[in-house]
Amino acid sequence: MTLPTLPVIRLRPNANVRAIRRGAPWVFANETVLDRRTKALAPGTIAVLEDAERAPLAMVAVNPASKIIARILGPADAPVPDVDWFVARLKRALDLRIRLFDAPFYRLVHAEADGLPGVIIDRFGDTCVIQPNAAWADLLLDDLAEALVRVTGVTCVLKSSGGRGRQLERLDDVNAVLRGSAPDAAVPVEMNGATYMADLTSGQKTGLFYDQRPNHAMAARLCHDARVLDVFSHVGGFALAGLAGGAASALAVDASAPALALAAEGAERMGASDRFATRRGDAFETLAALATEAERFDVVICDPPAFAPSKPTLEAGLRAYERIARLSAALVVEGGYLVLCSCSHAADLEKFTGACLRGIGRAGRRPVLLHTGFAGPDHPQLPQLIESGYLKALVFRL
């Protein structure tokens, strides 16, 4: 396909052309001329974006069904995506990861920051899990899988269709095996001296959260000989990192029985089962119950799901973060440590910190902020896209 055959979408005169020229990766529907021809484009169509004066700006992937109507793929005269196009982008992404990590367990592609808008790829040794959270990637998924095998040499490629991103793009929720055979058991992943069990076929998201790796390491340094409480633990998250750091005990709290079973398996593989326990239940209710039971911990970590995934949910999300901070701060011994995390991009660092401080204050505690953490370098941030800097981790001493 050559440039003259590509359809064209056009910006309105009041659109922020300067931002696009400076690297903004998204174009919203209210910035474009939504004529009948544009609305009729099939989701995933590759097109040329023009400014209001009809000057070409970029090659884009279009989805008229999404508020993000266009995602920037490259210059207007760039080759359209095919296997070779994907190979080039994947090679660039892989080059960074092999410089950062000794073993092939990492986020290989972090969407826009790696030049593949809406695409998440996590690697687990010989298996890669793709989240194609944009229509164009879903449409070209076979080419992407082929390129992934060529570049990495993996023998298995899985499609994970869970998550809010695909819902916003109006895509299906069907998982699939794209290459090879799916693992018949959870995959062990070594990080920071801990062993995590990743369920790649039916677990949450791609099976494991690599983004917290540096924050796990930071928290683990505080856990030697400590009693540790890890709330919203998923498959062991901070709890197993704490055990690897020499914790006297770790209690993992989560609403998911399968996730806690994987956490227990990880602890067993580490030879730490005697120091590890789980408690299934709602996080808010469990924190309140632990307080009434007069339980206290040297280190408490809360890593909840996104309470504020969008601007309309921001205020309610901040109240939830404040409540978590209040309940968890009450469980920390004097001189102990509290780690509070947020993966809500709508709640920026300032707003999240404010909510945490209000909650800690309401618990009658006085905090000192020791450290502010973010996602690891295999989750690079695109400066023009605030959403790519979603993860925050605050480490307090009380």
Side-chain angles (χ1 to χ4, degrees):
M1 186 182 294
T2 59
L3 179 60
T5 67
L6 294 178
V8 172
I9 68 169
R10 189 166 296 116
L11 293 175
R12 293 178 179 272
N14 61 348
N16 192 349
V17 177
R18 180 178 298 178
I20 294 171
R21 288 188 173 129
R22 290 180 175 176
W26 293 349
V27 179
F28 294 93
N30 62 4
E31 297 180 289
T32 62
V33 178
L34 286 177
D35 53 22
R36 183 180 303 175
R37 176 182 51 80
T38 300
K39 290 179 180 179
L41 292 174
T45 295
I46 307 301
V48 171
L49 176 69
E50 293 183 346
D51 65 19
E53 283 72 44
R54 300 179 183 269
L57 287 174
M59 181 177 68
V60 295
V62 180
N63 185 355
S66 173
K67 288 184 178 180
I68 304 172
I69 193 171
R71 297 173 188 262
I72 308 296
L73 297 178
D77 58 352
V80 297
D82 58 12
V83 173
D84 290 337
W85 186 92
F86 281 116
V87 163
R89 306 232 167 174
L90 290 172
K91 282 183 176 178
R92 179 180 172 90
L94 180 62
D95 178 72
L96 170 64
R97 276 66 182 186
I98 61 178
R99 293 172 186 270
L100 294 171
F101 303 105
D102 295 330
F105 295 87
Y106 41 67
R107 173 149 294 181
L108 175 60
V109 170
H110 192 52
E112 282 76 2
D114 281 303
L116 292 173
V119 178
I120 297 297
I121 304 177
D122 283 348
R123 184 174 184 180
F124 301 88
D126 290 332
T127 299
C128 279
V129 182
I130 304 175
Q131 281 187 292
N133 294 330
W136 77 278
D138 212 51
L139 196 64
L140 298 174
L141 192 54
D142 190 65
D143 282 352
L144 174 55
E146 177 62 28
L148 193 55
V149 171
R150 289 189 195 179
V151 171
T152 65
V154 297
T155 56
C156 176
V157 179
L158 306 177
K159 171 193 173 187
S160 173
S161 293
R164 182 170 175 268
R166 289 183 63 82
Q167 296 175 16
L168 295 175
E169 289 276 301
R170 302 185 186 179
L171 301 172
D172 66 60
D173 60 355
V174 179
N175 296 334
V177 179
L178 305 176
R179 296 290 190 278
S181 301
D184 56 7
V187 175
V189 178
E190 304 287 335
M191 288 195 299
N192 299 313
T195 301
Y196 298 94
M197 303 305 298
D199 183 349
L200 307 188
T201 56
S202 57
Q204 192 173 352
K205 297 284 181 76
T206 63
L208 191 67
F209 297 109
Y210 283 128
D211 53 0
Q212 287 282 22
R213 187 186 328 229
N215 300 317
H216 287 164
M218 173 61 193
R221 295 170 64 184
L222 306 174
C223 290
H224 186 69
D225 288 338
R227 294 189 68 208
V228 176
L229 173 64
D230 179 15
V231 185
F232 303 99
S233 183
H234 189 226
V235 297
F238 284 92
L240 298 185
L243 291 175
S249 66
L251 174 62
V253 174
D254 202 273
S256 169
L260 290 176
L262 290 171
E265 185 178 349
E268 183 177 2
R269 284 176 175 255
M270 295 167 58
S273 293
D274 58 331
R275 295 183 286 138
F276 182 69
T278 64
R279 183 159 171 167
R280 183 187 178 194
D282 173 82
F284 294 96
E285 293 175 0
T286 302
L287 286 169
L290 288 169
T292 62
E293 295 163 16
E295 292 282 1
R296 295 296 181 268
F297 301 86
D298 302 295
V299 182
V300 176
I301 306 107
C302 294
D303 182 17
F307 287 150
S310 61
K311 288 183 179 179
T313 63
L314 177 58
E315 292 307 316
L318 291 175
R319 288 194 295 272
Y321 286 124
E322 180 180 333
R323 186 181 174 201
I324 283 289
R326 174 176 59 82
L327 292 170
S328 57
L331 298 177
V332 180
V333 301
E334 184 64 30
Y337 302 93
L338 175 63
V339 182
L340 299 172
C341 305
S342 167
C343 59
S344 298
H345 67 77
D348 63 21
L349 180 60
E350 182 180 1
K351 290 185 175 64
F352 174 60
T353 303
C356 292
L357 293 176
R358 287 192 297 273
I360 295 170
R362 288 182 61 195
R365 307 302 298 274
R366 297 184 63 183
V368 174
L369 180 61
L370 301 181
H371 176 76
T372 301
F374 303 97
D378 53 343
H379 294 64
Q381 295 185 32
L382 187 68
Q384 301 90 341
L385 185 64
I386 190 172
E387 287 83 355
S388 65
Y390 64 98
L391 184 64
K392 289 82 63 178
L394 303 178
V395 182
F396 297 98
R397 192 175 196 190
L398 304 186

